[in-house]
Amino acid sequence: MSRERVPAVPQSAQNAAFLAVATAIALAMRLFLFPLESGDYQQFLHPWFETLRQNGGLAAVGLEIGDYTPPYFYVLALLTYLPVRDLFSIKAVSCAADVVLAVFAANLASGDRRLSQTWTAAYCAVLFLPSVFLNSAAWGQCDAMYVSALLAFVYYAWKGRDVAAAVSFGVSITLKLQAVFLAPLFLLLLLKKRLRWRSVLAVPAVYVAACLPAAAMGRNLWDLLTIYFRQAGQYNLLAMYLPNLYTWLGDSADPSIGRAGIFLAGGVVLCAVFFLWQQDLPLTLSNLLALAFFFALLTPFLLPYMHERYYYAADLLGVCFAFHFPKKWWMPFAVCLSSAYVVCHNLFQTDFLPVQLLGVLILFVLVQLVRFLAGQLRKEGEAA
């Protein structure tokens, strides 16, 4: 008596089912963190939300409320119409952005092989990365939004879709100024003619378009266009617990050191871009991710006045980098470990490691990244 053979379930279907379960678990984990109230929520997010709610939601986006660009206030204004506590709705939006972030990271990590094992592994790695779920579900921050757009910028640059890449970069910088950490890569891609110069116009166009609704509702357009210049003068501590160059200077707040540090960062980054421009390094996806990881780490390491969570983009690009260069897994691991520690320091007052030591660790990773990129250049030279 013959037994009928049961058709095998395709690998992609198995992965899709697993992803649904993993996503449900990741979101359930985040729900348990929702009741936590961070200092940023109490000092900024809740007062902003209440101001919008008491003044008519979307009708209030023309008010002078906070120091974020308008798009985030549009989101908050829409949330005021929901019959849900603001703490939970704010975090729910950030957690939804986590899923988008994981999708773009998986696309980059797998070379756009959707629902492959690599895609699935990268997606899960991002959803369960401590600096990601603590940022959204515990802290209530929205960094997943601007970094999703940054990953989209790298993705579309790899695909050769320069307008989409520029628009993505424009969306990212419209959401958070920290998108400038990848501005050196944007410039390098322009110099390498991977992006057309006319595509640059999309960046300010996106920013202006995002400001127009708030301006139409009463906010001063010039103030909206220059909000980042005002943000730059808000803080006077050279190091705000990010493990970078300035953690070695103690609590100094001398403005002359800060100004010198900005020029130092600009000079070093410009030198790096100029050197890479002159090299014949093919802009494959792997090399693009290595460069993006490098600049996302180098720029905040050299800049003063950096907050704890400003290696967030480096964390995500590092995860993508690790899937392309698995033997170098320890570099992203060191960065993600440092990020998780300083985030826990802010949220839970964790204090068992000196941040200066972590700054040395990040410097070591940067040196090794430079060596790695030099090795990639040598390989290309030998192949030629």
Side-chain angles (χ1 to χ4, degrees):
M1 184 175 180
S2 62
R3 181 179 297 176
E4 292 186 8
R5 190 173 182 179
V6 178
V9 178
Q11 183 69 53
S12 59
Q14 295 177 26
N15 291 346
F18 171 76
L19 284 172
V21 174
T23 302
I25 293 172
L27 294 178
M29 174 190 66
R30 284 162 167 78
L31 282 174
F32 284 102
L33 297 173
F34 274 23
L36 296 176
E37 293 187 12
S38 68
D40 285 349
Y41 166 76
Q42 295 171 347
Q43 187 176 357
F44 301 110
L45 296 176
H46 179 64
W48 294 348
F49 186 94
E50 283 301 302
T51 300
L52 288 165
R53 185 183 64 81
Q54 293 170 10
N55 290 276
L58 286 172
V61 297
L63 300 177
E64 295 281 349
I65 299 174
D67 62 351
Y68 272 32
T69 50
Y72 190 63
F73 289 109
Y74 302 154
V75 173
L76 290 183
L78 288 171
L79 294 179
T80 62
Y81 298 103
L82 298 178
V84 181
R85 185 184 172 191
D86 62 328
L87 177 64
F88 296 162
S89 62
I90 288 169
K91 290 185 174 184
V93 169
S94 295
C95 290
D98 288 350
V99 176
V100 178
L101 182 72
V103 169
F104 273 108
N107 289 346
L108 289 170
S110 68
D112 217 16
R113 298 189 301 275
R114 310 291 174 92
L115 295 181
S116 65
Q117 287 189 336
T118 301
W119 197 99
T120 303
Y123 176 89
C124 292
V126 170
L127 277 190
F128 291 99
L129 194 67
S131 56
V132 171
F133 68 76
L134 288 175
N135 184 282
S136 58
W139 206 336
Q141 293 288 344
C142 58
D143 292 306
M145 296 181 187
Y146 91 89
V147 176
S148 293
L150 273 187
L151 295 186
F153 154 63
V154 177
Y155 174 81
Y156 289 123
W158 165 56
K159 289 287 189 178
R161 297 174 58 183
D162 59 343
V163 174
V167 168
S168 298
F169 189 80
V171 169
S172 184
I173 206 165
T174 299
L175 291 168
K176 283 288 184 76
L177 180 59
Q178 289 73 51
V180 300
F181 297 160
L182 282 196
L185 179 63
F186 193 99
L187 175 59
L188 180 63
L189 293 176
L190 288 170
L191 294 172
K192 290 278 192 181
K193 298 182 180 179
R194 187 61 171 262
L195 302 179
R196 291 172 292 181
W197 283 93
R198 64 185 182 186
S199 67
V200 176
L201 296 174
V203 177
V206 170
Y207 189 91
V208 172
C211 292
L212 288 178
M217 296 297 291
R219 287 196 67 174
N220 183 284
L221 181 59
W222 178 250
D223 287 345
L224 290 169
L225 296 176
T226 58
I227 194 168
Y228 285 142
F229 292 99
R230 295 196 301 280
Q231 279 186 12
Q234 285 184 344
Y235 303 102
N236 58 8
L237 289 177
L238 289 175
M240 288 177 274
Y241 217 77
L242 183 81
N244 70 356
L245 182 64
Y246 300 92
T247 58
W248 304 335
L249 301 181
D251 294 327
S252 174
D254 191 319
S256 62
I257 297 177
R259 286 191 288 268
I262 292 171
F263 278 91
L264 170 68
V268 172
V269 167
L270 190 60
C271 288
V273 170
F274 179 77
F275 177 79
L276 289 165
W277 172 47
Q278 293 189 318
Q279 308 306 307
D280 189 18
L281 181 66
L283 294 176
T284 62
L285 176 57
S286 297
N287 288 339
L288 266 177
L289 287 171
L291 291 169
F293 180 38
F294 172 66
F295 283 120
L297 194 59
L298 176 69
T299 312
F301 181 82
L302 293 174
L303 279 170
Y305 312 119
M306 296 287 100
H307 285 274
E308 299 97 330
R309 64 184 192 277
Y310 284 4
Y311 285 145
Y312 189 97
D315 290 350
L316 275 297
L317 289 163
V319 169
C320 300
F321 170 88
F323 278 91
H324 285 260
F325 303 100
K327 291 183 179 179
K328 302 297 180 182
W329 65 269
W330 63 269
M331 290 194 238
F333 179 80
V335 175
C336 292
L337 183 67
S338 299
S339 289
Y341 177 80
V342 296
V343 167
C344 288
H345 174 270
N346 181 288
L347 292 174
F348 313 117
Q349 290 72 56
T350 304
D351 191 17
F352 61 87
L353 281 176
V355 69
Q356 293 84 359
L357 179 62
L358 294 177
V360 174
L361 178 61
I362 297 296
L363 177 60
F364 179 72
V365 171
L366 277 168
V367 171
Q368 295 305 311
L369 264 175
V370 171
R371 291 186 60 192
F372 171 78
L373 288 170
Q376 292 296 102
L377 289 170
R378 282 196 301 272
K379 286 181 183 177
E380 295 300 332
E382 291 168 0

